[in-house]
Amino acid sequence: MTRSRLLVLAALAVLVAAFFALGGHRYLTFQNVKAQQDAILAFYQSHPWQTALGYFLVYVAVTGLSLPGAAVMTLVGGAVFGLAWGTVLVSFASSIGATLAFLASRFLLRDWVQGRFGGQLSALNAGVAKEGGLYLFTLRLIPAVPFFVINLAMGLTPIRAWTFYWVSQLGMLAGTVVYVNAGTQLAAIQSPAGILSPGLIGAFVLLGLFPLIAKRIVDAVKARRVYAPWAARRPARFDRNLVVIGAGSAGLVSAYIAAAVKAKVTLVEKHRMGGDCLNTGCVPSKALIKTAKVLAQIRDAEKYGIRCARAEFDFAEVMERVQRVIRTIEPHDSVERYAGLGVECIEGEARIVTPWEVEVKAASGATQRLTTRSIVIAAGARPFVPPIPGLADMGCLTSDTVWNLRKLPPRLVILGGGPIGSELAQAFSRLGSKVTQVEMLPRLLAREDPEISDLVLKKFAAEGVDVRVGHKAKQFLVEGGEKVLVCEHAGVDVRIPFDEVLCAVGRVANTAGYGLEELGIPTTKARTVETDEFLQTIYPNIFACGDVAGPFQFTHTAAHQAWYAAVNALFGSAKKFRVDYSVIPWATFTDPEVARVGLNETEAKKKGVPYEVTVYGIDDLDRAIADESAHGLVKVLTVPGKDRILGVTIAGEHAGDLIAEFVAAMRHGFGLNKILGTIHIYPTLAEANKYAAGVWKKAHAPQGLLRQVEKFHAWRRG
């Protein structure tokens, strides 16, 4: 704590101590005030301005120091100064005193609290930053919440001091009037409890509901304003309850939910049902990764006790297998299936023409206009191709177009060291390409902890993938008939010859071409559709979910968001649900696989979240040894001294499957002790989770108790 903070803390401590030492707590009691009422009135009649000023300063001091007696002093204000002047004095004195307490709390404690608990308070901070005035106003209208607690707690949040002051003055006014008015009848009141009659309590409850009603009114006014340019074009009736734009994961789930609750829903897709995940993303990449893994295992046959094994394959046939896998899964996402579920599926290009109308243009050029109460935008994302000089002339492949290859590239450059780039780099290398992976950051999989990145890097190096971290792609050109990538590394240009280049540096949301610009729906800095916590856009009946909305670009997250978007779109006028991002898992399907949920150590350090680390090495696991996959680890972050899980990273065989137990634990609030107490089948990889819990338990064994037990057993032996 700094010297200035220590001085302020000392001054406050002295003032509080002086208050109690001088008997202030005895003076500011209801009984004493009643006994001294006549003397106080007589002094006021003789010295009105001095009395008012002294009362005002004492009231400011009592509230500023969070001392007991504010309620009694409010009664005194009514008894001595009457309703009008009493209300003025109490209103300003209480607001100023509250603000002083707020500032003291902020000066002394906010930095420490935010530094220690910033991660846990992030959602609260965001809410206060956005609507702190409304939160404070609501609390001020409910007398059951002690005002001094509100003063001190709000000082720890990002709310502005001026906002705190004027909202406090306004929010406390109703309660001030009630108490000051009661003070005018002080002689008839036998105790402070007499102020809060059942009728008065009911009035306070209604006052507490007022901010919620006010928020509804404010929302209605905002909606009226945003809809104003379109009011004349609002349909008298609607043909549909919901129109969903995009038939990827988010769109399919949104439409499914709407149909399940018997809403009339139309799903519009301009290309292929199933979206990127089925056609160009998760499904084809995992099919390719499987073939590549089989080839790697055949090459490693000796470690399985097989003297000689070899495989012949044709790359074109491998890519045809990928398409066969897609075709096998296609019926799950087909028009026929969804039509059978009650969803109207239309193939065509959608454009939102008003907040309630979507125009669909078919491939033939014919158009139709759909009227709907609500719209869900699930337009997905596409690979981002950076504007590197010469890249466009190289016939650049992306995760969308690489599946068209039927000839294996002899030399393949992959731009990007994230999940997509890493998965495809290893797969193509195992299939026989000479792969050079270029990443401008200092390591692969930069979102993971350094030792996890290092595990993957070592495996890549052992398999012949040429990983160039810290290399920034500057230019693509043709030299002597050969394609060359020029990179900058440590201030020196490096030339990398290649035959094909695959760009996997990220994905960007599809936000253009279907009416967002015309309606004025804004996008974020991340170039996603801007939504609130309910996935609403600026138009209360238009929602967005999936990759187009962010913040995560995972198929399972898109499906998760879709539930909120669909339910809020259909039932939001009665009840809306805030989307929950508290437990989001993901996996990178390299070998070793990397799966994570919650915080990792890098993020915990960055956010200042206290944690303990428990690590179990999978090289010690019986099943992993039997499978010749004894590599990797389970890394668990917990609250210091407790078994509550903050986050887990698993690197190893089937990590994406193993993480599910920890996802369930975090989602439903059970810790490592419960995992340790759960029977896991032997021999399985899932035992790694139990053994990780065992490592934690051993580190937290009660050593003192164990020493006593040891003595007990020694005594029993005689």
Side-chain angles (χ1 to χ4, degrees), residues 7-25 57 60-62 64-68 100 104:
L7 289 173
V8 170
L9 184 62
L12 291 174
V14 168
L15 290 172
V16 171
F19 171 81
F20 286 100
L22 296 173
H25 58 295
L57 294 175
V60 169
V62 167
L65 295 170
S66 302
L67 298 171
L100 290 174

Side-chain angles (χ1 to χ4, degrees), residues 643-668:
D643 74 333
R644 184 165 71 83
I645 302 166
L646 297 172
V648 180
T649 301
I650 302 178
E653 195 83 358
H654 293 290
D657 299 315
L658 298 181
I659 199 76
E661 186 170 18
F662 291 109
V663 176
M666 292 182 67
R667 184 69 183 85
H668 299 290

Side-chain angles (χ1 to χ4, degrees), residues 62 273 296 335 455 532 574 675:
V62 167
M273 295 283 285
V335 169
L455 275 173
D532 63 11
I675 292 175

